[in-house]
Amino acid sequence: MEKLVNCPYKRPNALCRLICFPWAAGGTSQFAQWGKLFSSSIEVSSIRLPGRESRLKEPFAKDMTTVVNEITRVLLKELQEKPFAFFGHSFGSYISFAVALHLKEKYGLEPIHLFVSGAHAPNSEAFLPIKSIPICDAEDEDVLRHIQILGGTPSEFLQNEDIKKHLVLTFREDLRVLQTFSFEKAESNTHFSCDVTCFNGTEDKPHDLEAWRDLTSGDISFYKLPGGHFYLLEPSNEIFLTKHITRCIENAGL
């Protein structure tokens, strides 16, 4: 559990677990620290994929199925014990959806709320070009430039050659995992009933979010917050997110 899940602010008596899924090449520290921003009724944890932080020496996951199976195997008992919600940003949004889909199809479980950020709906045609990005052929400098354009990486990290090299490698591997993910609504009878909230930065590229309406019978909400792709790192936006997520969870009638 500790290997996969970072939960520094444990709340065994919480009514709900909020499980967060970081962006490509991301670690757990940002979301794990959210734990101190939420009330005692919500326990926050962040998923740690292999190849980073305390799992640095482990090989990267080879595909989305491997990622989903590990997360499900480790968390299933806890997810069956009490209500849970997912928050994913960018790459993490797709992982959170893939895990939610697997839980629904195999165990009849689903989050009480799905919060997605900085990503297309997984059934959108806008998601398809991501699957054809030539990540294997891309030069390290091109990958690094893309990471810099997205923002969110401390400049001191980019000054350290070892950290920079591992960052590029991790980004490549995470994108490779994402490219193995395939979801065709026509082939799936799974339909969620939970509410979905979509967040995006005002300066980020537009994401196709309307397609979420085809995936759940619950309510869909859309919010644009000031900033680019990593708008959520701004303290004022972080406050908005934690307050809004708390309100949504509390209104779920736990």
Side-chain angles (χ1 to χ4, degrees):
M1 174 69 79
E2 297 295 330
K3 184 171 76 168
L4 175 77
V5 179
N6 186 2
C7 182
Y9 300 94
K10 296 190 186 329
R11 292 181 175 143
N13 297 321
L15 298 177
C16 178
R17 292 186 174 97
L18 175 66
I19 299 164
C20 301
F21 298 78
W23 48 89
T28 60
S29 58
Q30 185 70 30
F31 287 141
Q33 291 305 309
W34 275 15
K36 62 186 177 185
L37 303 178
F38 282 86
S39 71
S40 59
S41 63
I42 301 171
E43 182 182 80
V44 181
S45 58
S46 184
I47 296 297
R48 178 188 293 116
L49 297 183
R52 68 211 77 199
E53 297 182 341
S54 60
R55 306 185 69 182
L56 189 62
K57 295 184 178 179
E58 294 182 41
F60 292 101
K62 66 179 188 297
D63 54 34
M64 184 67 87
T65 300
T66 304
V67 171
V68 168
N69 286 344
E70 182 192 23
I71 294 171
T72 303
R73 176 174 49 80
V74 173
L75 289 181
L76 183 60
K77 186 172 181 294
E78 290 205 346
L79 299 183
Q80 289 172 326
E81 286 174 353
K82 67 174 63 175
F84 61 94
F86 285 169
F87 180 97
H89 178 68
S90 197
F91 168 69
S93 289
Y94 301 115
I95 293 188
S96 68
F97 172 76
V99 173
L101 187 67
H102 183 65
L103 288 168
K104 179 75 170 178
E105 288 179 340
K106 192 164 183 180
Y107 302 100
L109 288 172
E110 69 174 300
I112 59 167
H113 204 113
L114 192 56
F115 301 96
V116 293
S117 168
H120 300 296
N123 54 328
S124 162
E125 287 190 6
F127 172 67
L128 297 178
I130 295 174
K131 295 175 68 66
S132 59
I133 295 172
I135 191 65
C136 295
D137 303 328
E139 297 289 337
D140 282 1
E141 286 305 313
D142 292 333
V143 176
L144 188 61
R145 195 175 301 113
H146 182 66
I147 292 172
Q148 289 173 308
I149 289 170
L150 287 176
T153 303
S155 57
E156 58 268 26
F157 284 12
L158 301 177
Q159 305 305 317
N160 182 302
E161 285 302 318
D162 289 339
I163 293 177
K164 188 163 65 172
K165 186 175 179 181
H166 187 72
L167 183 67
V168 169
L169 173 63
T170 309
F171 189 88
R172 281 184 191 276
E173 293 297 330
D174 285 352
L175 185 54
R176 197 190 314 276
V177 163
L178 183 56
Q179 290 180 333
T180 68
F181 176 57
S182 179
F183 174 73
E184 297 292 338
K185 184 68 182 81
E187 297 173 10
S188 173
N189 294 320
T190 303
H191 203 267
F192 294 105
S193 59
C194 63
D195 292 348
V196 176
T197 302
C198 307
F199 301 103
N200 215 35
T202 54
E203 305 304 315
D204 196 6
K205 67 177 183 181
H207 291 99
D208 181 3
L209 305 173
E210 287 293 331
W212 275 107
R213 298 188 189 281
D214 298 328
L215 300 180
T216 184
S217 58
D219 292 337
I220 310 283
S221 304
F222 306 100
Y223 291 91
K224 282 195 171 185
L225 299 179
H229 189 62
F230 283 97
Y231 72 90
L232 73 172
L233 300 182
E234 290 293 328
S236 58
N237 289 335
E238 194 174 54
I239 290 169
F240 176 89
L241 287 169
T242 53
K243 285 185 176 179
H244 184 80
I245 290 168
T246 298
R247 188 161 60 248
C248 290
I249 290 175
E250 289 177 347
N251 288 346
L254 303 181

